[in-house]
Amino acid sequence: MGVAGGQISPVRSRERFLLGEPVEGSVRAAILNSWMRSRMLGLSPEQTDLPYTDDFDPDSRLVRAAEPVLDQLQSRFSGSQMNVSLADGNGTVLQRRFGEPALAGRLPPIQSVPGFVFAERYAGTNGIGLALAERRLCQVYGAEHFAERSQSNACSATPIRDQFSGHIVGVLCFGYPRSYEDPALPVLVRRAAESIERRLMEQSSARERALLRTYLDARLRARGGEAADDGQLIGLDELTDGGLDRQDQMVLKAKATELICSPQRAAVEVSLSHGRGVTLLSSPVTSLSGVEGVVVEAVLTGESPPAHHLAASKPTAAALGALALAATERAESLTWHLADASARGDAQAAPDTAPEAGPASGTGDAADTPGAVRGLVLVGEPEVGKYAVAARRRLELLAEASTRIGTTLDVSRTAWELAETAVPRLADYVTVDLAGAVLRGEESADPQADLHRTVVHGIRDDCPFYPVGHQVRLDPGTPHMRCLEGEPAVLETDLQRTTPAWMLPGIEHARGILAHDVHSMICVPLLARGVLLGIATFYRSEDPAPFGDDDSRLAQELAARAALCIDNARRYTREHTLALALQRSLLPRGLPEQGAVEVAHHYLPAESGVGGDWFDVIPLSGTRVALLVGDVVGHGLHAAATMGRLRIAARNFAELELAPDELLTHLDNLLVRLDREEDDASATGSNGIAGATCLYAVYDPTSQVCTLARAGHPPPALVAPDGGVTFPDLPAGPPLGLGGLPFETAEIHLPEHSTLVLYTDGLVDGRHRDIDVSLDQLRQALAHPDRSPEDTCRAVMEAVAPEHPGDDVALLVARTRTVPADRIATWDLAPDPSLVSDVRGAATRQLADWGLDELAFAAELMLSELVTNAVRYGSEPIQVRLIHDRTLICEVSDGSNTAPHLRRAASTDEGGRGLFLVAQLSQAWGARYTARGKVIWAECALDAA
């Protein structure tokens, strides 16, 4: 609300508000918040009486600094209806000036007489009260005032701050009719307030110059009116020129400032670089005008500066340069320039000053050492020194925060680091509330409805706040809600003396907080990249000093840094969750049914990002099973996607019944092609594939033989039935992706109940791990043959897996089974068509012995077709094998490599229907190739009949 040149008066919105109707969006947030506070304080719009007090100092430092500025403003607005007010930090009006003097007689006393208090808790929404509450420049127009008496007026008000302490010491307010609104007024009131602040600073500078003059006079009298050759007094700037480096100078600045904070005499040894030692001497000094301060001198007790440097150091006023020191963050560039002031003759500015207690010359042995170089470091008042120390400590806290906040990419941990940094150096208690969506790595559409207590931290364990995990519900008008609605920070400086109105709805909880002597608070939004993440609240109880504006700015800076780190962690959480979801979707969701091995698996993703590790269990024909583990080099979505491609390709190659070495060769060629495609797309910023490792094993339970091949992957662990653990020495093979290099296979006999353990290198290798130690831990964890594969997985992960994995870990444990000999029937045949009937008969009898008479008809037909094809088109040796396992498997092998193909026979064809019959009678069929030829197989479900 409020456009220059118009009579802006949100009368309707105010009426609706007073009737209890919602007005959000039609009234400025600052005004609406003030209306809410006024109503919660029990104020009435018709209330006309304001507190009056004559207990104020009409000649205070603020008034003396403001009077020339007020005179200029009165002259500027001469003849107008402008009303200029100066109030103190409590809202009490100290001075009033009128553009038209006759206004003072026509206005009611509350608008014309100093002494009335316009704090918001008494006057409701008004310029002075709102400037103190918001702690910034505010404008109030017409009906935006809460009280009826101010409806025809408008005002612009801004706080006045003490530049040393940063505290608000007053308010400058322009009052005028609504029709007098001008865009230049806010600029003018701000500049006038800055002029008053500068004059307050000049008052402090004059006090410092008086202290310096007192010190110099006392020093000269102590020397009998002239300087001696030893113990020369020079400025610290001259000590720096060849005497002290910049780091030493900063150390002396900090220590001297601490000494000024205490008015007592003190001597402190300070160690500097190059083996030098400096003694800092502090002494109290008081001018005739009553200014009490402290002077700090440095006595260089180590290596002296060069001779030419000493020769130039005469005790003249120009040589006595005092070190500049910032008092607050707002006045970092302000220096006391004592030496320059003396050179300009400003030392004469205080001729009425004389030492009441001059500095003690010869304090300490260091000061009396012949040839010791003595320099003036600092002159100041203890209170100013305290502000300087506080400013330095705030800067130190910010520097520390840059290293302490954001050490991990965990949202909750980053919020904890914010609280740990702030307690106890800024606050006694800190709470952090984050949107639930942010904790999940998402952006919250409505943080107000989804706020959860994430951190509660303080100097005591019995924090009087809602616990972690509590869903926070905020009432309108609370500082927390105001932050969520867009305010940069809300500062409450006095919670004990007058309970704020916003606490009333939750008074029981508020009483618990106040019972812990919590007296002030700062609420700051956590905002990063335009995304509102939550709020951080800082409380003080043990520290008697309430929070001020400097503390509020520091809290905002800490919150801004933490919010950026939290947002980084949130984005990482989102990307990590997406990548992990993609990776898990590409891994087996369940183990397939097979009878060759009893299998268990475990997958542990890396903390820093998902990788490309994978595993698989693939049932093959003839009751065999393939076991596979692999690892794509790298992390992130790219590695996960590449892993998915390789896993699908490996399954497809396994379905072709390829030998392990042939399968790895095909994967190697595939990865080379993928890498070439990535190189072609490098202009889009894609990263090339660095390679992958793989271990592929095929176990046959009928022969108890396991055939393995590996491509740069760690060898498996083999646990014998008696508990012995070995790592078979398999041919290593090159990693996948190099191209053109061969792979070798190895065969291992695995007795029944042997355990084969396949794993990726994340289990045993790492930046800070010794692989030999890890393998020994793995051996010990596996030396328990009585464990089930599931228990073995759990034991290995507990004993060997790193606590914070930097790489993915894939673990596959397989305990072997065998097919009993009485469940296998084999017949060797000569290539004679007449033997087909003999095979059918033998198979029927064997099925009867197994109790599978219902499958006899289907088995006879399939064997008849397969054996006939082998006799007609194949070569010796011909063999028929029946296996009674989870299914009935019929196999016919011969010595040829010709591949059968299923085709649709025409009505006039005499043949071509055999494989069609086999496919109809079986649930699966296929062919695999061996070193001696091929095997045609078909499976029938045991309940197929």
Side-chain angles (χ1 to χ4, degrees):
M1 304 294 292
V3 179
Q7 295 185 5
I8 305 303
S9 178
V11 177
R12 294 181 181 176
S13 296
R14 181 173 177 274
E15 291 176 350
R16 290 172 54 197
F17 172 80
L18 294 176
L19 292 173
E21 299 178 8
V23 294
E24 288 81 0
S26 61
V27 181
R28 289 185 292 144
I31 299 297
L32 180 57
N33 290 331
S34 181
W35 284 359
M36 290 180 177
R37 292 193 298 268
S38 300
R39 185 170 61 182
M40 296 174 73
L41 286 166
L43 300 179
S44 170
E46 294 79 16
Q47 182 177 355
T48 58
D49 295 333
L50 290 179
Y52 175 80
T53 179
D54 56 4
D55 185 21
F56 62 88
D57 185 2
D59 192 37
S60 64
R61 290 182 61 221
L62 175 61
V63 172
R64 292 199 305 272
E67 277 185 334
V69 179
L70 295 177
D71 291 341
Q72 293 177 11
L73 291 174
Q74 184 175 16
S75 175
R76 176 164 185 163
F77 293 118
S78 176
S80 71
Q81 298 185 45
M82 180 67 70
N83 176 2
V84 180
S85 303
L86 175 71
D88 63 16
N90 296 318
T92 303
V93 175
L94 306 177
Q95 289 271 313
R96 283 195 181 274
R97 300 296 175 89
F98 302 93
E100 183 179 331
L103 278 176
R106 297 199 302 265
L107 293 175
I110 61 172
Q111 295 182 4
S112 59
V113 179
F116 286 95
V117 183
F118 281 81
E120 190 181 66
R121 64 179 179 271
Y122 302 121
T125 307
N126 71 94
I128 295 175
L130 191 60
L132 289 173
E134 296 290 324
R135 311 181 77 81
R136 58 187 173 88
L137 174 67
C138 295
Q139 295 176 277
V140 184
Y141 305 93
E144 288 185 335
H145 290 86
F146 187 77
E148 296 285 356
R149 61 174 174 267
S150 302
Q151 299 297 293
S152 61
N153 298 326
C155 56
S156 296
T158 189
I160 299 172
R161 288 179 169 83
D162 183 332
Q163 293 295 295
F164 276 120
S165 66
H167 295 162
I168 292 177
V169 295
V171 176
L172 183 64
C173 180
F174 290 1
Y176 43 88
R178 290 182 299 175
S179 59
Y180 197 77
E181 172 63 21
D182 189 288
L185 284 178
V187 178
L188 181 59
V189 70
R190 183 182 294 110
R191 289 180 178 175
E194 291 172 353
S195 297
I196 297 174
E197 291 173 350
R198 283 195 298 271
R199 291 183 61 81
L200 282 171
M201 184 65 69
E202 290 170 1
Q203 290 181 8
S204 298
S205 300
R207 294 157 67 93
E208 299 291 342
R209 288 197 298 270
L211 288 173
L212 177 61
R213 184 70 268 166
T214 301
Y215 164 75
L216 294 176
D217 291 344
R219 182 72 182 175
L220 290 175
R221 283 199 303 274
R223 294 291 182 181
E226 61 178 284
D229 291 338
D230 59 348
Q232 296 280 7
L233 178 63
I234 64 175
L236 191 61
D237 289 338
E238 290 154 89
L239 282 177
T240 304
D241 184 13
L244 300 177
D245 59 25
R246 183 176 180 83
Q247 184 64 31
D248 291 340
Q249 185 180 4
M250 294 177 64
V251 171
L252 290 179
K253 284 182 185 181
K255 196 63 183 178
T257 308
E258 294 178 5
L259 290 175
I260 284 184
C261 295
S262 175
Q264 287 79 24
R265 189 185 305 270
V268 178
E269 295 289 337
V270 181
S271 298
L272 304 178
S273 59
H274 307 297
R276 292 175 177 165
V278 167
T279 301
L280 290 182
L281 306 176
S282 70
S283 303
V285 59
T286 305
S287 71
L288 285 179
S289 59
V291 180
E292 295 182 355
V294 175
V295 60
V296 179
E297 296 174 294
V299 180
L300 190 62
T301 58
E303 178 185 345
S304 299
H308 74 276
H309 187 72
L310 291 178
S313 56
K314 297 300 182 182
T316 62
L320 298 175
L323 218 23
L325 182 65
T328 64
E329 293 164 322
R330 284 178 58 89
E332 287 183 4
S333 62
L334 178 67
T335 58
W336 288 328
H337 297 299
L338 299 179
D340 294 339
S342 299
R344 293 194 307 267
D346 289 348
Q348 308 302 323
D352 61 331
T353 58
E356 179 179 302
S361 59
T363 301
D365 295 337
D368 298 328
T369 302
V373 181
R374 189 166 180 168
L376 177 63
V377 179
L378 207 58
V379 174
E381 298 178 78
E383 287 301 315
V384 176
K386 290 178 183 178
Y387 297 142
V389 170
R392 191 186 78 240
R393 289 174 179 170
R394 285 193 290 268
L395 292 174
E396 290 173 350
L397 182 59
L398 285 176
E400 183 179 331
S402 64
T403 60
R404 290 188 61 181
I405 300 176
T407 59
T408 68
L409 287 172
D410 181 84
V411 172
S412 297
R413 179 58 198 163
T414 303
W416 269 103
E417 289 169 347
L418 167 62
E420 290 169 344
T421 301
V423 175
R425 295 167 64 179
L426 173 61
D428 296 319
Y429 297 99
V430 174
T431 63
V432 179
D433 305 319
L434 297 177
V438 172
L439 296 172
R440 299 188 297 270
E442 305 166 4
E443 291 186 11
S444 178
D446 185 12
Q448 299 179 16
D450 189 30
L451 211 57
H452 292 77
R453 181 59 47 87
T454 306
V455 174
V456 178
H457 182 56
I459 56 176
R460 291 163 52 185
D461 293 334
D462 58 336
C463 295
F465 305 102
Y466 292 124
V468 172
H470 178 82
Q471 184 168 5
V472 180
R473 302 187 184 277
L474 303 177
D475 295 316
T478 63
H480 308 78
M481 181 63 77
R482 292 167 61 186
C483 284
L484 291 179
E485 290 173 346
E487 295 196 32
V490 178
L491 171 61
E492 292 281 356
T493 58
D494 190 356
L495 301 177
Q496 288 285 342
R497 187 174 62 180
T498 303
T499 302
W502 55 264
M503 279 189 168
L504 297 179
I507 191 63
E508 292 302 324
H509 181 62
R511 285 172 179 165
I513 295 176
L514 298 178
H516 281 69
D517 298 324
V518 174
H519 55 74
S520 59
M521 64 172 285
I522 303 171
C523 193
V524 185
L526 296 171
L527 189 66
R529 302 183 179 97
V531 177
L532 183 60
L533 308 173
I535 48 179
T537 312
F538 305 82
Y539 300 88
R540 271 190 183 168
S541 62
E542 299 292 329
D543 190 338
F547 285 123
D549 283 341
D550 287 336
D551 299 312
S552 179
R553 285 190 290 271
L554 177 59
Q556 290 181 64
E557 181 64 27
L558 289 176
R561 298 187 183 198
L564 189 61
C565 295
I566 290 174
D567 192 52
N568 288 339
R570 178 191 67 82
R571 289 167 176 254
Y572 168 78
T573 300
R574 180 186 62 190
E575 297 299 329
H576 183 71
T577 301
L578 290 175
L580 190 59
L582 171 63
Q583 185 184 43
R584 290 194 180 280
S585 69
L586 296 174
L587 291 171
R589 298 191 178 185
L591 297 178
E593 294 184 5
Q594 47 81 36
V597 291
E598 181 185 358
V599 184
H601 63 88
H602 191 94
Y603 185 84
L604 179 64
E607 285 190 352
S608 59
V610 297
D613 293 20
W614 86 94
F615 64 92
D616 212 344
V617 177
I618 308 171
L620 302 177
S621 64
T623 70
R624 297 171 308 132
V625 65
L627 305 173
L628 176 69
V629 292
D631 182 6
V632 176
V633 175
H635 292 85
L637 289 173
H638 188 262
T642 303
M643 174 271 290
R645 288 168 146 180
L646 289 178
R647 176 174 173 258
I648 296 301
R651 291 190 69 89
N652 292 334
F653 293 146
E655 292 289 340
L656 296 176
E657 303 282 0
L658 298 179
D661 55 339
E662 294 180 20
L663 183 140
L664 293 182
T665 299
H666 283 284
L667 289 180
D668 183 45
N669 294 334
L670 172 64
L671 202 55
V672 170
R673 288 195 299 273
L674 292 177
D675 199 16
R676 189 178 300 118
E677 293 174 5
E678 295 292 341
D679 289 340
D680 294 340
S682 60
T684 64
S686 177
N687 296 321
I689 300 172
T693 65
C694 185
L695 173 62
Y696 184 75
V698 176
Y699 173 66
D700 187 348
T702 63
S703 62
Q704 301 180 357
V705 173
C706 183
T707 306
L708 307 95
R710 64 185 180 121
H713 201 84
L718 178 59
V719 185
D722 60 1
V725 181
T726 58
F727 296 93
D729 186 16
L730 305 179
L736 301 177
L738 297 181
L741 298 176
F743 299 93
E744 299 180 57
T745 61
E747 291 187 351
I748 302 175
H749 182 265
L750 299 181
E752 187 176 10
H753 303 312
S754 299
T755 301
L756 191 64
V757 180
L758 288 72
Y759 53 89
T760 55
D761 60 356
L763 179 68
V764 296
D765 201 4
R767 183 179 302 177
H768 305 292
R769 305 178 69 196
D770 187 329
I771 190 171
D772 292 331
V773 173
S774 298
L775 289 175
D776 187 59
Q777 293 173 341
L778 178 60
R779 181 181 286 106
Q780 295 177 20
L782 293 175
H784 300 275
D786 54 328
R787 287 177 178 159
S788 67
E790 197 68 46
D791 292 337
T792 300
C793 263
R794 191 178 301 109
V796 168
M797 296 304 296
E798 291 176 356
V800 187
E803 184 177 356
H804 301 286
D807 193 8
D808 291 11
V809 176
L811 176 65
L812 189 63
V813 177
R815 175 178 290 177
T816 63
R817 296 169 177 164
T818 59
V819 179
D822 59 359
R823 291 290 188 98
I824 303 174
T826 306
W827 298 277
D828 293 322
L829 300 179
D832 184 355
S834 63
L835 298 178
V836 174
S837 59
D838 296 339
V839 171
R840 288 200 301 266
T844 300
R845 291 189 294 272
Q846 183 63 63
L847 292 177
D849 293 342
W850 287 342
L852 302 177
D853 301 270
E854 297 85 352
L855 298 177
F857 177 73
E860 284 186 51
L861 285 178
M862 289 190 297
L863 286 175
S864 179
E865 293 296 332
L866 295 178
V867 172
T868 299
N869 285 341
V871 171
R872 182 177 298 177
Y873 305 111
S875 60
E876 296 186 278
I878 301 174
Q879 187 181 74
V880 177
R881 187 170 70 161
L882 295 180
I883 303 176
H884 179 198
D885 193 46
R886 294 169 45 254
T887 60
L888 175 64
I889 303 173
C890 304
E891 295 182 345
V892 177
S893 61
D894 66 78
S896 70
N897 290 321
T898 56
H901 295 285
L902 180 66
R903 65 184 182 88
R904 181 178 296 276
S907 58
T908 58
D909 290 344
E910 295 183 359
R913 297 176 178 81
L915 287 180
F916 178 78
L917 288 174
V918 172
Q920 295 300 310
L921 294 171
S922 65
Q923 67 177 16
W925 74 278
R928 67 174 181 270
Y929 296 91
T930 67
R932 296 182 300 172
K934 68 176 183 296
V935 177
I936 310 297
W937 57 270
E939 291 186 8
C940 286
L942 297 183
D943 58 353

